[in-house]
Amino acid sequence: MPFTAHATSPTITMPRVKAITTGSIPSFLDVILNFAESDTTSSLAHQDTWLAQMKAKGNGKLIMYGDDTWLKLFPDTFARADGTSSFFVSDFTEVDNNVTRHIPNELLNNDWNTMIMHYLGLDHIGHKAGPRSPNMIPKQMEMDNIVRRVYQALESQEHLKSTLFVLCGDHGMNDAGNHGGSAAGETSPALVFISPRLGSVSKGFECPIDATGDYQYYTTVEQSDIAPTLAGLLGFPVPLNNLGVFIPSFLPLWPDSGDRVHLLLRNAEQMLRIVDATFLTSLLENKDIPEDCSAALASGDELACKWEAVMQGLGNKDRSLERNHDEILNVITEFARRAQEIMSSTASNYDLSRLTLGMSFAAAAMLFALAACVREFLAFTSTILVLATLALSYGAMMFASSYVEEEQHFWYWSASGWLTYLYIRKRRWIDLALLSALLMGILVALRVSRRWNQTGQKFSGESDIAKSFLPTHNLFLWAIVLVTYLEIMQRLLSRDFWRGSIEVSCVISSMLGLAALRFKAAFTNADAPELFNGFGQMSLKLLPTTELVTQARTVFMGLGILFTYSTILSLWRGRSHKIATADATWIMHDLLTLFLATQSRVTNIPLFLLFEIQYHFLNALNLSLAEITTTSIIFQHLSFFAFGGSNAISSVDLSSAYNGVRGYDVVAVGILTFVSNWSGPIWWTSAANLLLLRKRSCGEPDVLFRHLALSSVFVTVSLLFVMAACTALRAHLFIWTVFSPKYLYSMVWCLAQHLGINILWAGSLFWLGAA
């Protein structure tokens, strides 16, 4: 019996598994815990779940194969288990073979009453190459064969004749293959109940069928409805914290209508206890119950009214089952569904004192930042006014869900407005024709960047350069990728970093650049072969076969050695070996560009060429310190969206998170994930650092401190506004789908990008360049 199971946001494995097993609404904190491989605080070992109920039956063991999230959530629950990390998304095959190899023997065993099989291949293919990857259809056919094998065993094995086989997804995926947000593709996974015993109530369904709406193929139920439905079908108590409702399609399995009423009533009474605990009153003892449930009522009063209707339907509260059972079933279902809606929207308990404390810390940080750059604000130049307007308008935007979802437009228009401001301001000092040419070049590159990746919520599926044009023009894609790598190699060669031997510099830069290009080509051929034509695949076959992990480690090791070498030489003041500080900083910037290109999707690599063009044009404008800071802020955010980022969890790109990594390592994978998603902002931080060093060389004092102080004002103001918006709108319909993900992104911008990259990383490079 098939259904479309609505999965509420966040559509990530851990919170969805919690919803499936407890029937409750998980916390958004699970989004963070989902990425913490060693986390144990999210365990459900002491909560009432249907797994605990099945184990308490004592008529068989519980076994699990697949995603090790189940082992984290249910420690010491499974008698036999073989877990696989769900984050090693480069693996399409072994993660599934590791599950399938156990199936033949387990189908012959009769010592278990519950077997979990959590396959990961489809999810990994989606993350790496999207739902239209050529790897997707073969993997779906593989899953079909496994379902067929299991069902044939249910029909043929005597000890499996009463077994219920539930086929479901914990989440779906969007057009990019990611998940975590609230798009229809992410929140509409399939759910199928399979058993020969269901033939008495289901004569089969037509398949395939056309969707009646966005991914709505069959009757839609809530994913949390799985828990009470399993409780009814398998004969155990409904989990205590359940907010799911028994799926009515299975009621005909009970021929006696009185049994049906008893089944739904048990579910409703369990939900009633949660309602009573939430509203701190007993609906059973409520004396002021409204007569008209359709009137505009407070949530508690409305549920009290509907529960009173249940009691009246049962017959003067004596629970007699001699009345019209169909009417009673409808009344009970109506109460349960409404209780589910209301309790799902009030499932979070907010500690306002902690929320206020967090905002107080952000406000204190903002005041410190303002105090650090008081001289800049007292001067009150027009640039400072623009920066203040930018910060305040951006902060105010955080109170509107649509603006948060489509934030990229704010930065694209801010960039255009900023360039207009620079034109007005600089025309007095720069030849008008030259200024016009420079700004026109930046605007053209900006326009191309804007169309590179369609992102946000409304237009993410629209055609763009990266996902629509380049995949159908492979030769052009690899031509501009090759030009980008050659440009990086040429810049490294021009620095003559191996002083005294231009030949050695040429060989090293060429070998490193070609190794990086070869890895990216081999990685793309394995990850997204549709981006390769026959000639490209033939060229790769001519090269010696080397493992992708080894290739990535070779590139990273070469980058690390050259970076360390350049750092040492920039500090060594020996005349014969001393690299000019400007050259040393540029070498580090070029090495960083090569690393960022390695961590980016191949379709995004040409953006670094556009960034380089924009940088040289901006450098020719002789920007002031405040103008450098404002430019850095705008282009950091703009580039984040140009690379395909958004404020949705589903836009997190894991495709390059395992470059050079053989297994899951939370530190290595975390760093690589951050770098691959923030490649644009990191590049512009380094570019701003070069502009700052130029200002310092011109004699301007305290360049780095003043720049970081102004940047910190923007970061702290924006963070304070985001926290205030999340607090003020905590009851908003989109608090979990829009505002909470934005808060998580703000923390990454603040802690990782600003504190880690802008202050620590760029500050260190500035110090080396100024040494």
Side-chain angles (χ1 to χ4, degrees), residues 189-226:
L191 170 63
V192 187
F193 289 80
I194 305 171
S195 175
R197 299 284 295 271
L198 294 178
S200 61
V201 296
S202 173
K203 301 306 179 183
F205 290 80
E206 182 183 354
C207 182
I209 62 172
D210 294 328
T212 57
D214 284 343
Y215 299 95
Q216 304 304 301
Y217 292 94
Y218 297 99
T219 302
T220 300
V221 299
E222 291 296 323
Q223 201 173 58
S224 57
D225 294 344
I226 295 175

mmCIF file of all heavy atoms in Angstrom, residues 189-226:
data_model
loop_
_atom_site.group_PDB
_atom_site.id
_atom_site.type_symbol
_atom_site.label_atom_id
_atom_site.label_comp_id
_atom_site.label_asym_id
_atom_site.label_seq_id
_atom_site.Cartn_x
_atom_site.Cartn_y
_atom_site.Cartn_z
ATOM 1 N N PRO A 189 9.127 12.079 0.583
ATOM 2 C CA PRO A 189 9.665 10.744 0.322
ATOM 3 C C PRO A 189 8.552 9.705 0.181
ATOM 4 O O PRO A 189 7.418 9.909 0.614
ATOM 5 C CB PRO A 189 10.520 10.459 1.563
ATOM 6 C CG PRO A 189 9.885 11.269 2.643
ATOM 7 C CD PRO A 189 9.384 12.510 1.972
ATOM 8 N N ALA A 190 8.905 8.592 -0.417
ATOM 9 C CA ALA A 190 7.940 7.510 -0.623
ATOM 10 C C ALA A 190 7.760 6.696 0.662
ATOM 11 O O ALA A 190 8.645 6.643 1.521
ATOM 12 C CB ALA A 190 8.402 6.599 -1.755
ATOM 13 N N LEU A 191 6.618 6.068 0.775
ATOM 14 C CA LEU A 191 6.324 5.172 1.895
ATOM 15 C C LEU A 191 5.432 4.056 1.360
ATOM 16 O O LEU A 191 4.360 4.322 0.820
ATOM 17 C CB LEU A 191 5.609 5.931 3.015
ATOM 18 C CG LEU A 191 5.032 5.093 4.158
ATOM 19 C CD1 LEU A 191 6.153 4.360 4.907
ATOM 20 C CD2 LEU A 191 4.232 5.962 5.118
ATOM 21 N N VAL A 192 5.875 2.812 1.489
ATOM 22 C CA VAL A 192 5.113 1.664 0.994
ATOM 23 C C VAL A 192 5.086 0.580 2.070
ATOM 24 O O VAL A 192 6.136 0.203 2.598
ATOM 25 C CB VAL A 192 5.717 1.084 -0.307
ATOM 26 C CG1 VAL A 192 4.800 0.011 -0.878
ATOM 27 C CG2 VAL A 192 5.969 2.170 -1.334
ATOM 28 N N PHE A 193 3.886 0.094 2.400
ATOM 29 C CA PHE A 193 3.713 -1.040 3.304
ATOM 30 C C PHE A 193 3.486 -2.279 2.435
ATOM 31 O O PHE A 193 2.565 -2.306 1.603
ATOM 32 C CB PHE A 193 2.529 -0.824 4.243
ATOM 33 C CG PHE A 193 2.762 0.232 5.289
ATOM 34 C CD1 PHE A 193 2.629 1.581 4.982
ATOM 35 C CD2 PHE A 193 3.122 -0.123 6.586
ATOM 36 C CE1 PHE A 193 2.845 2.554 5.937
ATOM 37 C CE2 PHE A 193 3.332 0.849 7.550
ATOM 38 C CZ PHE A 193 3.197 2.182 7.231
ATOM 39 N N ILE A 194 4.323 -3.310 2.632
ATOM 40 C CA ILE A 194 4.309 -4.484 1.769
ATOM 41 C C ILE A 194 4.164 -5.740 2.627
ATOM 42 O O ILE A 194 4.920 -5.948 3.584
ATOM 43 C CB ILE A 194 5.604 -4.565 0.938
ATOM 44 C CG1 ILE A 194 5.821 -3.269 0.142
ATOM 45 C CG2 ILE A 194 5.581 -5.771 0.006
ATOM 46 C CD1 ILE A 194 7.174 -3.186 -0.540
ATOM 47 N N SER A 195 3.197 -6.556 2.282
ATOM 48 C CA SER A 195 3.024 -7.846 2.946
ATOM 49 C C SER A 195 1.968 -8.640 2.199
ATOM 50 O O SER A 195 0.959 -8.072 1.757
ATOM 51 C CB SER A 195 2.601 -7.675 4.409
ATOM 52 O OG SER A 195 2.318 -8.937 4.997
ATOM 53 N N PRO A 196 2.156 -9.957 2.057
ATOM 54 C CA PRO A 196 1.094 -10.777 1.450
ATOM 55 C C PRO A 196 -0.223 -10.680 2.225
ATOM 56 O O PRO A 196 -1.296 -10.838 1.638
ATOM 57 C CB PRO A 196 1.676 -12.199 1.515
ATOM 58 C CG PRO A 196 3.163 -12.001 1.543
ATOM 59 C CD PRO A 196 3.363 -10.747 2.331
ATOM 60 N N ARG A 197 -0.126 -10.380 3.527
ATOM 61 C CA ARG A 197 -1.335 -10.294 4.356
ATOM 62 C C ARG A 197 -2.182 -9.075 4.013
ATOM 63 O O ARG A 197 -3.362 -9.002 4.386
ATOM 64 C CB ARG A 197 -0.940 -10.233 5.839
ATOM 65 C CG ARG A 197 -0.188 -11.437 6.346
ATOM 66 C CD ARG A 197 -1.116 -12.626 6.563
ATOM 67 N NE ARG A 197 -2.059 -12.355 7.622
ATOM 68 C CZ ARG A 197 -1.848 -12.610 8.905
ATOM 69 N NH1 ARG A 197 -0.672 -13.142 9.275
ATOM 70 N NH2 ARG A 197 -2.760 -12.363 9.807
ATOM 71 N N LEU A 198 -1.603 -8.079 3.330
ATOM 72 C CA LEU A 198 -2.360 -6.872 2.999
ATOM 73 C C LEU A 198 -3.254 -7.068 1.788
ATOM 74 O O LEU A 198 -4.013 -6.162 1.423
ATOM 75 C CB LEU A 198 -1.394 -5.705 2.740
ATOM 76 C CG LEU A 198 -0.574 -5.215 3.933
ATOM 77 C CD1 LEU A 198 0.369 -4.089 3.510
ATOM 78 C CD2 LEU A 198 -1.479 -4.743 5.062
ATOM 79 N N GLY A 199 -3.172 -8.220 1.155
ATOM 80 C CA GLY A 199 -4.005 -8.475 -0.002
ATOM 81 C C GLY A 199 -5.487 -8.454 0.308
ATOM 82 O O GLY A 199 -6.317 -8.217 -0.582
ATOM 83 N N SER A 200 -5.842 -8.650 1.574
ATOM 84 C CA SER A 200 -7.253 -8.651 1.951
ATOM 85 C C SER A 200 -7.865 -7.265 1.962
ATOM 86 O O SER A 200 -9.091 -7.125 1.902
ATOM 87 C CB SER A 200 -7.414 -9.284 3.341
ATOM 88 O OG SER A 200 -6.687 -8.537 4.311
ATOM 89 N N VAL A 201 -7.043 -6.224 2.052
ATOM 90 C CA VAL A 201 -7.578 -4.859 2.104
ATOM 91 C C VAL A 201 -7.105 -4.013 0.937
ATOM 92 O O VAL A 201 -7.550 -2.879 0.768
ATOM 93 C CB VAL A 201 -7.184 -4.161 3.430
ATOM 94 C CG1 VAL A 201 -7.800 -4.865 4.615
ATOM 95 C CG2 VAL A 201 -5.667 -4.085 3.577
ATOM 96 N N SER A 202 -6.187 -4.528 0.128
ATOM 97 C CA SER A 202 -5.671 -3.773 -1.002
ATOM 98 C C SER A 202 -5.570 -4.674 -2.220
ATOM 99 O O SER A 202 -4.979 -5.755 -2.166
ATOM 100 C CB SER A 202 -4.285 -3.193 -0.677
ATOM 101 O OG SER A 202 -3.714 -2.597 -1.819
ATOM 102 N N LYS A 203 -6.194 -4.248 -3.297
ATOM 103 C CA LYS A 203 -6.153 -5.005 -4.539
ATOM 104 C C LYS A 203 -5.050 -4.505 -5.470
ATOM 105 O O LYS A 203 -5.011 -4.842 -6.642
ATOM 106 C CB LYS A 203 -7.512 -4.903 -5.237
ATOM 107 C CG LYS A 203 -8.667 -5.417 -4.403
ATOM 108 C CD LYS A 203 -8.422 -6.852 -3.916
ATOM 109 C CE LYS A 203 -9.573 -7.341 -3.053
ATOM 110 N NZ LYS A 203 -9.316 -8.706 -2.519
ATOM 111 N N GLY A 204 -4.161 -3.695 -4.941
ATOM 112 C CA GLY A 204 -3.063 -3.180 -5.748
ATOM 113 C C GLY A 204 -3.336 -1.767 -6.233
ATOM 114 O O GLY A 204 -4.468 -1.277 -6.207
ATOM 115 N N PHE A 205 -2.267 -1.098 -6.659
ATOM 116 C CA PHE A 205 -2.354 0.274 -7.133
ATOM 117 C C PHE A 205 -1.659 0.382 -8.476
ATOM 118 O O PHE A 205 -0.683 -0.326 -8.743
ATOM 119 C CB PHE A 205 -1.697 1.245 -6.138
ATOM 120 C CG PHE A 205 -2.438 1.405 -4.863
ATOM 121 C CD1 PHE A 205 -2.344 0.462 -3.848
ATOM 122 C CD2 PHE A 205 -3.237 2.522 -4.641
ATOM 123 C CE1 PHE A 205 -3.019 0.609 -2.656
ATOM 124 C CE2 PHE A 205 -3.914 2.683 -3.450
ATOM 125 C CZ PHE A 205 -3.815 1.730 -2.457
ATOM 126 N N GLU A 206 -2.185 1.259 -9.309
ATOM 127 C CA GLU A 206 -1.538 1.523 -10.589
ATOM 128 C C GLU A 206 -0.177 2.168 -10.356
ATOM 129 O O GLU A 206 -0.028 3.059 -9.524
ATOM 130 C CB GLU A 206 -2.417 2.445 -11.432
ATOM 131 C CG GLU A 206 -1.834 2.738 -12.806
ATOM 132 C CD GLU A 206 -2.690 3.705 -13.603
ATOM 133 O OE1 GLU A 206 -3.788 4.054 -13.122
ATOM 134 O OE2 GLU A 206 -2.247 4.120 -14.689
ATOM 135 N N CYS A 207 0.803 1.721 -11.100
ATOM 136 C CA CYS A 207 2.160 2.249 -10.934
ATOM 137 C C CYS A 207 2.928 2.039 -12.244
ATOM 138 O O CYS A 207 2.884 0.942 -12.817
ATOM 139 C CB CYS A 207 2.864 1.543 -9.784
ATOM 140 S SG CYS A 207 4.525 2.137 -9.450
ATOM 141 N N PRO A 208 3.605 3.062 -12.764
ATOM 142 C CA PRO A 208 3.720 4.418 -12.197
ATOM 143 C C PRO A 208 2.498 5.274 -12.531
ATOM 144 O O PRO A 208 1.736 4.938 -13.424
ATOM 145 C CB PRO A 208 4.967 4.975 -12.886
ATOM 146 C CG PRO A 208 4.983 4.266 -14.219
ATOM 147 C CD PRO A 208 4.434 2.895 -13.966
ATOM 148 N N ILE A 209 2.333 6.356 -11.791
ATOM 149 C CA ILE A 209 1.244 7.298 -12.039
ATOM 150 C C ILE A 209 1.818 8.702 -12.092
ATOM 151 O O ILE A 209 2.954 8.947 -11.672
ATOM 152 C CB ILE A 209 0.170 7.228 -10.936
ATOM 153 C CG1 ILE A 209 0.768 7.614 -9.575
ATOM 154 C CG2 ILE A 209 -0.484 5.861 -10.891
ATOM 155 C CD1 ILE A 209 -0.270 7.762 -8.485
ATOM 156 N N ASP A 210 1.047 9.637 -12.616
ATOM 157 C CA ASP A 210 1.459 11.036 -12.658
ATOM 158 C C ASP A 210 1.171 11.693 -11.313
ATOM 159 O O ASP A 210 0.187 11.374 -10.644
ATOM 160 C CB ASP A 210 0.708 11.787 -13.759
ATOM 161 C CG ASP A 210 1.077 11.280 -15.145
ATOM 162 O OD1 ASP A 210 2.235 10.864 -15.318
ATOM 163 O OD2 ASP A 210 0.194 11.287 -16.034
ATOM 164 N N ALA A 211 2.031 12.619 -10.934
ATOM 165 C CA ALA A 211 1.834 13.331 -9.676
ATOM 166 C C ALA A 211 0.633 14.268 -9.778
ATOM 167 O O ALA A 211 0.394 14.886 -10.819
ATOM 168 C CB ALA A 211 3.084 14.128 -9.311
ATOM 169 N N THR A 212 -0.145 14.355 -8.693
ATOM 170 C CA THR A 212 -1.278 15.284 -8.650
ATOM 171 C C THR A 212 -0.833 16.686 -8.254
ATOM 172 O O THR A 212 -1.568 17.638 -8.414
ATOM 173 C CB THR A 212 -2.332 14.795 -7.648
ATOM 174 O OG1 THR A 212 -1.718 14.637 -6.355
ATOM 175 C CG2 THR A 212 -2.888 13.440 -8.091
ATOM 176 N N GLY A 213 0.335 16.819 -7.712
ATOM 177 C CA GLY A 213 0.915 18.109 -7.325
ATOM 178 C C GLY A 213 2.410 17.939 -7.306
ATOM 179 O O GLY A 213 2.964 17.062 -7.982
ATOM 180 N N ASP A 214 3.106 18.764 -6.533
ATOM 181 C CA ASP A 214 4.551 18.624 -6.412
ATOM 182 C C ASP A 214 4.890 17.336 -5.656
ATOM 183 O O ASP A 214 4.803 17.269 -4.434
ATOM 184 C CB ASP A 214 5.142 19.837 -5.678
ATOM 185 C CG ASP A 214 5.203 21.050 -6.561
ATOM 186 O OD1 ASP A 214 5.112 20.883 -7.792
ATOM 187 O OD2 ASP A 214 5.321 22.169 -6.029
ATOM 188 N N TYR A 215 5.259 16.303 -6.422
ATOM 189 C CA TYR A 215 5.694 15.018 -5.862
ATOM 190 C C TYR A 215 4.613 14.331 -5.023
ATOM 191 O O TYR A 215 4.924 13.506 -4.169
ATOM 192 C CB TYR A 215 6.966 15.206 -5.017
ATOM 193 C CG TYR A 215 8.127 15.732 -5.814
ATOM 194 C CD1 TYR A 215 8.400 17.096 -5.854
ATOM 195 C CD2 TYR A 215 8.935 14.878 -6.548
ATOM 196 C CE1 TYR A 215 9.461 17.597 -6.612
ATOM 197 C CE2 TYR A 215 9.998 15.367 -7.300
ATOM 198 C CZ TYR A 215 10.247 16.725 -7.321
ATOM 199 O OH TYR A 215 11.290 17.201 -8.067
ATOM 200 N N GLN A 216 3.339 14.628 -5.262
ATOM 201 C CA GLN A 216 2.243 13.974 -4.546
ATOM 202 C C GLN A 216 1.662 12.894 -5.462
ATOM 203 O O GLN A 216 0.888 13.175 -6.363
ATOM 204 C CB GLN A 216 1.171 14.993 -4.155
ATOM 205 C CG GLN A 216 1.698 16.154 -3.326
ATOM 206 C CD GLN A 216 2.407 15.702 -2.066
ATOM 207 O OE1 GLN A 216 1.844 15.027 -1.215
ATOM 208 N NE2 GLN A 216 3.676 16.098 -1.937
ATOM 209 N N TYR A 217 2.042 11.645 -5.210
ATOM 210 C CA TYR A 217 1.637 10.551 -6.084
ATOM 211 C C TYR A 217 0.483 9.736 -5.505
ATOM 212 O O TYR A 217 -0.415 9.316 -6.211
ATOM 213 C CB TYR A 217 2.833 9.634 -6.358
ATOM 214 C CG TYR A 217 3.895 10.306 -7.200
ATOM 215 C CD1 TYR A 217 4.981 10.957 -6.621
ATOM 216 C CD2 TYR A 217 3.798 10.306 -8.582
ATOM 217 C CE1 TYR A 217 5.943 11.575 -7.401
ATOM 218 C CE2 TYR A 217 4.760 10.923 -9.375
ATOM 219 C CZ TYR A 217 5.822 11.552 -8.776
ATOM 220 O OH TYR A 217 6.774 12.169 -9.549
ATOM 221 N N TYR A 218 0.534 9.471 -4.221
ATOM 222 C CA TYR A 218 -0.520 8.700 -3.570
ATOM 223 C C TYR A 218 -1.013 9.490 -2.349
ATOM 224 O O TYR A 218 -0.605 10.618 -2.123
ATOM 225 C CB TYR A 218 0.002 7.317 -3.162
ATOM 226 C CG TYR A 218 0.436 6.469 -4.342
ATOM 227 C CD1 TYR A 218 1.779 6.370 -4.700
ATOM 228 C CD2 TYR A 218 -0.505 5.786 -5.102
ATOM 229 C CE1 TYR A 218 2.172 5.602 -5.794
ATOM 230 C CE2 TYR A 218 -0.118 5.013 -6.202
ATOM 231 C CZ TYR A 218 1.222 4.928 -6.537
ATOM 232 O OH TYR A 218 1.604 4.179 -7.620
ATOM 233 N N THR A 219 -1.883 8.869 -1.572
ATOM 234 C CA THR A 219 -2.419 9.535 -0.385
ATOM 235 C C THR A 219 -1.280 10.058 0.483
ATOM 236 O O THR A 219 -0.326 9.329 0.787
ATOM 237 C CB THR A 219 -3.276 8.562 0.436
ATOM 238 O OG1 THR A 219 -4.336 8.057 -0.398
ATOM 239 C CG2 THR A 219 -3.868 9.265 1.649
ATOM 240 N N THR A 220 -1.379 11.323 0.884
ATOM 241 C CA THR A 220 -0.322 11.933 1.684
ATOM 242 C C THR A 220 -0.589 11.724 3.172
ATOM 243 O O THR A 220 -1.690 11.993 3.658
ATOM 244 C CB THR A 220 -0.223 13.440 1.397
ATOM 245 O OG1 THR A 220 0.072 13.632 0.010
ATOM 246 C CG2 THR A 220 0.878 14.079 2.231
ATOM 247 N N VAL A 221 0.407 11.236 3.867
ATOM 248 C CA VAL A 221 0.360 11.086 5.320
ATOM 249 C C VAL A 221 1.588 11.767 5.904
ATOM 250 O O VAL A 221 2.513 12.124 5.175
ATOM 251 C CB VAL A 221 0.320 9.596 5.739
ATOM 252 C CG1 VAL A 221 -0.917 8.908 5.180
ATOM 253 C CG2 VAL A 221 1.591 8.875 5.280
ATOM 254 N N GLU A 222 1.600 11.958 7.198
ATOM 255 C CA GLU A 222 2.772 12.506 7.867
ATOM 256 C C GLU A 222 3.770 11.386 8.134
ATOM 257 O O GLU A 222 3.379 10.250 8.426
ATOM 258 C CB GLU A 222 2.379 13.191 9.183
ATOM 259 C CG GLU A 222 1.587 14.460 9.013
ATOM 260 C CD GLU A 222 2.375 15.556 8.320
ATOM 261 O OE1 GLU A 222 3.596 15.673 8.573
ATOM 262 O OE2 GLU A 222 1.772 16.282 7.507
ATOM 263 N N GLN A 223 5.048 11.690 8.035
ATOM 264 C CA GLN A 223 6.055 10.665 8.307
ATOM 265 C C GLN A 223 5.956 10.157 9.744
ATOM 266 O O GLN A 223 6.232 8.987 10.014
ATOM 267 C CB GLN A 223 7.453 11.237 8.036
ATOM 268 C CG GLN A 223 8.510 10.185 7.788
ATOM 269 C CD GLN A 223 9.825 10.813 7.369
ATOM 270 O OE1 GLN A 223 10.392 11.636 8.088
ATOM 271 N NE2 GLN A 223 10.321 10.448 6.203
ATOM 272 N N SER A 224 5.533 11.034 10.661
ATOM 273 C CA SER A 224 5.368 10.618 12.058
ATOM 274 C C SER A 224 4.230 9.627 12.232
ATOM 275 O O SER A 224 4.130 8.966 13.279
ATOM 276 C CB SER A 224 5.126 11.847 12.939
ATOM 277 O OG SER A 224 4.008 12.580 12.485
ATOM 278 N N ASP A 225 3.340 9.479 11.224
ATOM 279 C CA ASP A 225 2.240 8.522 11.309
ATOM 280 C C ASP A 225 2.731 7.078 11.251
ATOM 281 O O ASP A 225 1.975 6.149 11.570
ATOM 282 C CB ASP A 225 1.238 8.751 10.168
ATOM 283 C CG ASP A 225 0.520 10.090 10.271
ATOM 284 O OD1 ASP A 225 0.563 10.698 11.352
ATOM 285 O OD2 ASP A 225 -0.070 10.525 9.267
ATOM 286 N N ILE A 226 3.968 6.870 10.859
ATOM 287 C CA ILE A 226 4.507 5.515 10.769
ATOM 288 C C ILE A 226 4.515 4.851 12.143
ATOM 289 O O ILE A 226 4.166 3.669 12.265
ATOM 290 C CB ILE A 226 5.929 5.537 10.170
ATOM 291 C CG1 ILE A 226 5.889 6.017 8.713
ATOM 292 C CG2 ILE A 226 6.585 4.171 10.256
ATOM 293 C CD1 ILE A 226 7.264 6.178 8.083
#
